[in-house]
Structure formats: structure tokens, C-alpha cells
Amino acid sequence: MLRLSALDTEDLAIVSAQMQDAVLLAGDMSYDPKRKKFVLLANRFAWDDADTPQRRRTGLRFDRVLGVRTLHVNRLEKDEVLSLLSVTFAERDAPSGEVLLSFSEGATIRLSVECLECQMTDLGPAWAAIAVPRHGIGDGEEEDPA
């Protein structure tokens, strides 16, 4: 089980690599503007143990979030399945900036943040994954929604 924190772009690159190919429902994301927190729950592919393909229920939390914008994500469709590709940070007026969560099929979530504060935490035991996600142009990328 992993527990990671990210306070800079190098840390976030590690979190992003661990969260790559995580699948989640649109309804498993929430933003609390009063507490300035954005959280999501996902089933991440455990790249840290690729010898035995497995997934883990994982929470991803961003603090100091000032606003959230979405593109190609229908927040009313709580059962919409999203596949996370990457998480990046672009500094705008140090230390503030934008966190970009990029999903397959062009869906994105952009978080305006005071500064980068992210925590990734595995929440329970792993279970067998149906398939190993594959990447590449034209390789018939396999889906593993579990």
C-alpha cells in the first residue's frame, strides 16, 4: 500500500505515474469550496507491483483549491467512467498555479490552487486486475474498468 505526498512538480510526477490508468466514476469526485479541498476516489492500477496485475482503491486529495473547471466531464452523469492519464502542475504566480487532471477521450479537470498540496493514499487491499493497461498508438489498448 502506498501513501504519497506532492508539494512540487517532481513529487507530483511520481503521484501521476502511480495514478496512471486509474478508473473512477464522475460521482466519485467532489469539491468543497469552504474547505478548499478537491478529492477523488479511484481504482488505480498498481504499477508498483506489475508482476501480479492488481488494482487498489485509492484516494487523491488536493488542498488549497480556489476553483475547479471541467472540460468534457458531465458532472450530472455520476456513473460516467473516467480513465486518468496524468496529473500535472503549471505554476502561474508562484506558488499558485493550476493542477491539470487529464483523462482519456479529452476529458480534463483544472484546479486553480494557492500552491501545490496533494496526497495519494491507498485505502484497502488489492484485488486481481482483469488486464494490464497498455499504451501506444494503434496497439489495441485494452480497457480494464475494474
Side-chain angles (χ1 to χ4, degrees), residues 111-132:
L111 310 176
S112 297
V113 296
E114 293 174 1
C115 62
L116 180 59
E117 284 190 21
C118 172
Q119 293 79 36
M120 183 197 100
T121 306
D122 286 341
L123 302 173
W127 65 90
I130 297 168
V132 176

Side-chain angles (χ1 to χ4, degrees), residues 3-6 15 35-41 58-65 111 116-121:
R3 182 180 177 105
L4 302 172
S5 293
V15 170
R35 295 179 63 205
K36 298 182 179 180
K37 293 188 185 306
F38 177 87
V39 296
L40 65 82
L41 293 173
T58 302
L60 188 63
R61 184 182 86 210
F62 293 90
D63 297 314
R64 300 180 184 238
V65 178
L111 310 176
L116 180 59
E117 284 190 21
C118 172
Q119 293 79 36
M120 183 197 100
T121 306

Side-chain angles (χ1 to χ4, degrees), residues 10-50:
E10 291 81 15
D11 294 343
L12 191 62
I14 295 167
V15 170
S16 179
Q18 292 300 323
M19 290 298 294
Q20 182 179 12
D21 299 310
V23 291
L24 62 141
L25 299 176
D28 287 339
M29 297 183 287
S30 69
Y31 172 53
D32 183 343
K34 288 183 182 177
R35 295 179 63 205
K36 298 182 179 180
K37 293 188 185 306
F38 177 87
V39 296
L40 65 82
L41 293 173
N43 298 335
R44 78 170 180 91
F45 185 82
W47 289 108
D48 49 305
D49 189 9

Side-chain angles (χ1 to χ4, degrees), residues 51-71:
D51 292 338
T52 51
Q54 56 186 339
R55 287 198 177 267
R56 292 183 179 273
R57 190 70 168 158
T58 302
L60 188 63
R61 184 182 86 210
F62 293 90
D63 297 314
R64 300 180 184 238
V65 178
L66 302 172
V68 177
R69 292 182 295 167
T70 63
L71 178 65

Side-chain angles (χ1 to χ4, degrees), residues 49-120:
D49 189 9
D51 292 338
T52 51
Q54 56 186 339
R55 287 198 177 267
R56 292 183 179 273
R57 190 70 168 158
T58 302
L60 188 63
R61 184 182 86 210
F62 293 90
D63 297 314
R64 300 180 184 238
V65 178
L66 302 172
V68 177
R69 292 182 295 167
T70 63
L71 178 65
H72 303 301
V73 176
N74 187 346
R75 291 192 241 182
L76 299 176
E77 291 290 331
K78 303 287 186 202
D79 292 333
E80 179 183 4
V81 177
L82 300 168
S83 179
L84 185 62
L85 300 176
S86 66
V87 183
T88 57
F89 177 71
E91 199 170 71
R92 297 290 181 235
D93 184 15
S96 67
E98 291 186 329
V99 173
L100 182 65
L101 296 120
S102 299
F103 298 90
S104 62
E105 299 182 23
T108 59
I109 298 175
R110 190 175 304 270
L111 310 176
S112 297
V113 296
E114 293 174 1
C115 62
L116 180 59
E117 284 190 21
C118 172
Q119 293 79 36
M120 183 197 100

